[in-house]
Amino acid sequence: MKKLLAIETSCDETAAAVVDEKINILSNIVLSQDEIHAPYGGIVPELASRQHILSLTYIVAEALERAEINLSQVDVFGVTQGPGLIGSLLVGLSLAKGLAFYYQKSLIPVDHLEAHLESVFIEHSWLSLPALGLLVSGGHTSLYLLRQRLSYQLLGKTRDDAAGEALDKVAKFLDLGYPGGPLIEHLAEQGDRQAFPFRVPQMTDGSLDFSFSGLKTAALKQIKENKLSADHPLFHDFLASFEAAVVRSLIKNLDRAVPQFRPRSVFLCGGVSRNKHLRETFLAWAHKKGLPAAIPSPQYCTDNAAMVGALAMKKFLQGQGAHLNLELNAYPRADYRRG
Ligand code: KG4
Ligand code: ZN
């Protein structure tokens, strides 16, 4: 059985995983840098790449040990090529290139966003196509139609902030720390989701794009006007209402896309899809629509190398990346991909 070692360093998680050709995840190690970036309320790119340099070889060693193999038993390497922070990406890509060259094995570069989309199939290979997939993370909020495996059509994307970014920025404004999504989720648990009436944006041109900067600005205005802070009696209600508005906005676009594209299933992926309120609302909505629905387990939602390995293995089995290309370079943005 062929085994693939995958490396993911696109942002602030240092991750490695071993995946076999049946897409069994033999190990999946993620080292978060949250504590390093928390004092700044967001990711500091230079600190992220330096930390990847310090941690990556240990994380790779741990992934191999848990999978009970050594480097010479790896049949193929997989790595995130982009989009992401360029310095961070280069750390993972350089190590992967070096290993593939030394062991004379194939190296499969993968796109981080496609890896998030593939993450759902690790545990839900039964999903029937075409599927409507919503990727909600700190850097992206995009809706895709997946007609065939590994073939994605972008239907809509955010015109400004990503959903996770809006949560992170509101948390930063309130000095809650980083990343804001899980912190807001925890504090919102006891709150009243109806207490603050946030208006969910609607694209006037009928597109399926998202926008979160209006919601974020409305939230910041409420914080200032009501002098909201952790000891304010309406603090939890405010966070619950804001979180609910973000979720409503996501589900609204999904709902609009269903009659247009008539999918046979729906799925969520990306870091924000760890959010309990989003998961529950999405599943209830899909049930009402009579659509089979899937969300990855939490460890496959936020950045991880298992999803990179799953996608790289699929590509390898299709015959992609048979030759080692040492010219491979990282790309920071989705639209630089073919450049
Ligand atoms: O997919 P991911 O790990 O990285 C990107 O590719 O961006 O997503 C990170 C984002 C952050 O914005 C973080 O606040 C958000 O996912 N997030 C959450 C939760 N866990 C992570 N947002 C809401 N609720 C959560 N439980
Ligand atoms: Zn991601």
Side-chain angles (χ1 to χ4, degrees):
M1 180 98 69
K2 293 236 183 298
K3 295 192 176 75
L4 181 148
L5 173 70
I7 293 173
E8 153 66 42
T9 60
S10 67
C11 196
D12 63 335
E13 264 89 28
T14 314
V18 177
V19 177
D20 73 16
E21 66 184 83
K22 296 226 155 78
I23 318 294
N24 295 307
I25 309 300
L26 305 183
S27 64
N28 182 32
I29 311 293
V30 182
L31 180 66
S32 159
Q33 301 180 359
D34 286 353
E35 277 175 26
I36 290 163
H37 303 287
Y40 307 95
I43 299 164
V44 183
E46 185 59 29
L47 293 182
S49 46
R50 286 181 196 201
Q51 196 57 40
H52 286 309
I53 291 172
L54 295 175
S55 318
L56 185 56
T57 49
Y58 295 100
I59 297 304
V60 166
E62 180 75 15
L64 292 167
E65 196 181 318
R66 295 265 181 103
E68 297 180 359
I69 59 167
N70 57 47
L71 270 175
S72 61
Q73 292 168 298
V74 173
D75 299 289
V76 47
F77 294 87
V79 67
T80 306
Q81 193 185 4
L85 301 171
I86 196 72
S88 292
L89 286 162
L90 284 171
V91 177
L93 188 63
S94 305
L95 181 64
K97 276 205 260 188
L99 290 172
F101 180 67
Y102 182 82
Y103 289 98
Q104 287 298 298
K105 297 282 161 65
S106 298
L107 172 61
I108 315 288
V110 307
D111 182 89
H112 183 77
L113 307 182
E114 284 184 24
H116 270 300
L117 291 166
E118 189 63 25
S119 70
V120 76
F121 292 95
I122 295 173
E123 301 157 299
H124 306 93
S125 56
W126 51 264
L127 265 189
S128 39
L129 306 180
L132 202 55
L134 179 59
L135 163 57
V136 217
S137 72
H140 301 270
T141 301
S142 308
L143 186 61
Y144 295 87
L145 185 67
L146 178 54
R147 292 187 199 278
Q148 295 167 33
R149 289 297 294 279
L150 310 185
S151 157
Y152 311 96
Q153 181 190 348
L154 180 67
L155 303 179
K157 62 180 173 37
T158 184
R159 292 192 179 178
D160 37 61
D161 292 340
E165 192 180 356
L167 290 164
D168 293 343
K169 284 181 177 168
V170 167
K172 181 179 181 183
F173 198 73
L174 287 164
D175 273 333
L176 297 180
Y178 174 84
L183 295 164
I184 290 181
E185 171 175 49
H186 178 65
L187 293 164
E189 258 170 29
Q190 319 138 41
D192 172 3
R193 299 189 194 285
Q194 324 280 330
F196 288 76
F198 283 104
R199 265 238 311 270
V200 164
Q202 164 96 46
M203 287 300 147
T204 46
D205 60 2
S207 88
L208 290 168
D209 282 349
F210 299 85
S211 167
F212 290 95
S213 77
L215 265 181
K216 178 195 68 188
T217 309
L220 300 186
K221 197 161 158 257
Q222 292 274 14
I223 294 170
K224 279 192 206 149
E225 278 177 12
N226 295 296
K227 297 193 172 50
L228 291 167
S229 61
D231 48 10
H232 193 286
L234 296 177
F235 188 61
H236 299 279
D237 294 346
F238 166 76
L239 292 177
S241 303
F242 177 61
E243 183 191 60
V246 170
V247 169
R248 269 204 312 281
S249 167
L250 294 169
I251 302 293
K252 189 171 171 180
N253 257 14
L254 267 174
D255 194 61
R256 287 178 52 229
V258 168
Q260 281 184 54
F261 296 96
R262 301 184 171 280
R264 294 178 61 204
S265 65
V266 284
F267 67 90
L268 283 185
C269 59
V272 182
S273 52
R274 284 181 85 117
N275 183 275
K276 200 162 161 253
H277 181 56
L278 174 59
R279 295 173 86 92
E280 287 172 2
T281 311
F282 170 76
L283 292 176
W285 166 80
H287 183 72
K288 223 164 92 188
K289 293 268 156 192
L291 283 165
I295 318 173
S297 299
Q299 76 268 24
Y300 300 136
C301 290
T302 31
D303 288 350
N304 66 87
M307 66 183 190
V308 174
L311 178 56
M313 182 57 98
K314 280 264 166 234
K315 292 191 163 201
F316 175 70
L317 295 174
Q318 283 189 350
Q320 295 185 36
H323 302 290
L324 173 58
N325 174 9
L326 289 176
E327 304 292 307
L328 272 181
N329 208 349
Y331 52 86
R333 293 213 322 255
D335 48 353
Y336 282 14
R337 189 171 166 195
R338 306 280 170 224

